[in-house]
């Protein structure tokens, strides 16, 4: 299938996912339950789809690779997604998605510090665009510095930090042995174990029977198929073609917010302009 079309599917899935989550939170769902349900859906989907894209190769996994895959899953699918869900619940789908999408800035700085990579002038401009976009999305005139202590805002920033660290661990593991589908499954299982440990059984039981469960189930399916579309897209086309399309996910979140969260979230010019600046910066970066 065409890589650009698959990338568009990824952007749509990742753009709709936070809006569906917000609809679940509106029905008294919690971020902990949403995370467990989403990961519980992801793992079997990966297992079912794996034979179609080369299968799983656990025999090739070395100890260093296993550590990299587990840490990549924990920081991305586990910790990063958990904080992302908290941010969506507290500050809304569009602002949370825009902030989380600034993760490449963290990755770039870490690559400079630990991998000795150089940052070009264009990349510095991209970083400036992302920072300006985040400022527009988050800053409320007259609120003062106290707004920086908002739990939702801190969770969104924490999510960006966690997702920014993830590629370094994952790349380290894949450098040991190049088995991306197996790496994704190991990471998802590690994240599911992590999420389960932080969710009380009584809350999980109540959440599974509550009105928010179908939305969290749908969000999990969107996340899983979004990642699979990304995997197929990267295998069939160049990164330089696929990545800019998938990076447009926050713009899809804006559109779906306007359609499905009318009366729940208010889209201001700051949020729209800020999200666009973040997307542009990530593409340049």
């Amino acid at each position: 299938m065409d890589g650009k079309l698959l990338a568009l599917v990824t952007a749509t899935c990742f753009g709709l996912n936070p809006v569906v989550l917000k609809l679940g939170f509106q029905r008294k769902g919690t971020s902990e339950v949403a995370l467990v349900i989403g990961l519980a859906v992801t793992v079997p989907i990966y297992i079912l789809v794996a034979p179609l894209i080369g299968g799983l190769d656990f025999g090739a996994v070395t100890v260093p690779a296993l550590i990299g895959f587990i840490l990549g899953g924990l920081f991305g699918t586990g910790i990063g997604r958990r904080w992302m869900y908290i941010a969506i619940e507290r500050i809304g789908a569009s602002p949370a998605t825009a902030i989380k999408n600034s993760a490449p800035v963290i990755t770039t700085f870490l690559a400079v510090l630990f991998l000795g990579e150089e940052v070009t002038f264009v990349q510095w401009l991209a970083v400036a665009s992302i920072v300006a976009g985040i400022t527009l999305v988050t800053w409320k005139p007259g609120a003062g510095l106290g707004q920086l202590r908002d739990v939702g805002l801190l969770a969104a920033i924490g999510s960006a930090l966690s997702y920014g660290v993830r590629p370094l661990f994952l790349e380290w593991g894949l450098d040991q042995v190049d088995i991306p589908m197996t790496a994704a499954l190991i990471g998802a299982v590690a994240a599911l174990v992590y999420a389960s440990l932080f969710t009380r059984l009584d809350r999980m039981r109540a959440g599974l029977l509550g009105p928010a469960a179908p939305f969290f189930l749908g969000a999990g399916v969107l996340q899983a198929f979004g990642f699979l579309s990304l995997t197929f897209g990267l295998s069939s086309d160049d990164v330089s073609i696929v990545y800019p399309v998938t990076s447009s996910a926050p713009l899809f979140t804006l559109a779906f917010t306007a359609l499905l969260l009318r009366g729940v979230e208010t889209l201001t010019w700051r949020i729209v302009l800020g999200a666009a600046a973040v997307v542009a910066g990530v593409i340049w970066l």
Side-chain angles (χ1 to χ4, degrees):
M1 191 178 292
D2 183 73
K4 293 183 286 295
L5 179 59
L6 288 167
L8 185 61
V9 172
T10 298
T12 304
C13 287
F14 286 172
L16 180 57
N17 171 266
V19 175
V20 175
L21 284 169
K22 185 66 177 183
L23 290 170
F25 295 143
Q26 287 295 112
R27 288 156 178 79
K28 299 182 179 180
T30 64
S31 56
E32 294 90 350
V33 174
L35 182 59
V36 173
I37 291 177
L39 289 169
V41 171
T42 298
V43 171
I45 288 177
Y46 285 178
I47 293 173
L48 289 172
V49 175
L52 302 176
I53 50 177
L56 299 169
D57 189 5
F58 291 107
V61 179
T62 63
V63 173
L66 180 63
I67 294 173
F69 298 158
I70 290 174
L71 290 176
L74 286 177
F75 276 92
T77 316
I79 299 170
R81 193 183 295 187
R82 181 169 181 247
W83 285 345
M84 174 66 172
Y85 286 8
I86 293 172
I88 293 171
E89 187 177 6
R90 296 296 187 102
I91 65 175
S94 295
T97 303
I99 296 171
K100 175 259 177 185
N101 245 48
S102 68
V105 174
I106 309 301
T107 306
T108 300
F109 280 118
L110 290 175
V112 171
L113 289 175
F114 297 106
L115 301 180
E117 295 185 6
E118 295 184 359
V119 181
T120 66
F121 178 71
V122 173
Q123 287 175 311
W124 281 119
L125 288 178
V127 170
S129 176
I130 293 170
V131 172
I134 292 174
T135 302
L136 283 170
V137 167
T138 59
W139 193 257
K140 298 176 182 177
L145 295 176
Q147 63 188 291
L148 297 178
R149 296 192 296 270
D150 181 85
V151 172
L153 176 59
L154 292 175
I157 294 172
S159 177
L161 289 169
S162 188
Y163 273 106
V165 171
R166 178 195 183 189
L168 300 181
F169 288 120
L170 188 57
E171 183 176 351
W172 180 58
L174 291 173
D175 283 344
Q176 310 300 316
V177 54
D178 190 17
I179 43 174
M181 192 65 228
T182 306
L185 179 59
I186 291 173
V189 171
L192 178 58
V193 172
Y194 160 82
S196 300
L197 292 174
F198 282 90
T199 306
R200 286 166 36 186
L201 282 177
D202 58 333
R203 287 189 179 182
M204 192 67 223
R205 193 179 300 112
L208 288 172
L209 298 175
F215 293 93
F216 294 159
L217 182 67
V221 171
L222 285 169
Q223 192 78 23
F225 278 100
F227 177 81
L228 288 173
S229 296
L230 176 61
T231 302
F232 279 112
L234 291 173
S235 68
S236 60
D237 221 324
D238 294 336
V239 175
S240 60
I241 295 175
V242 173
Y243 189 62
V245 179
T246 60
S247 297
S248 66
L251 302 182
F252 283 89
T253 301
L254 289 173
F256 287 124
T257 296
L259 288 173
L260 302 176
L261 295 179
R262 190 174 301 171
V264 177
E265 289 189 17
T266 302
L267 291 179
T268 65
W269 69 268
R270 288 177 177 272
I271 292 176
V272 174
L273 184 59
V278 170
V279 169
V282 170
I283 293 173
W284 291 339
L285 196 61

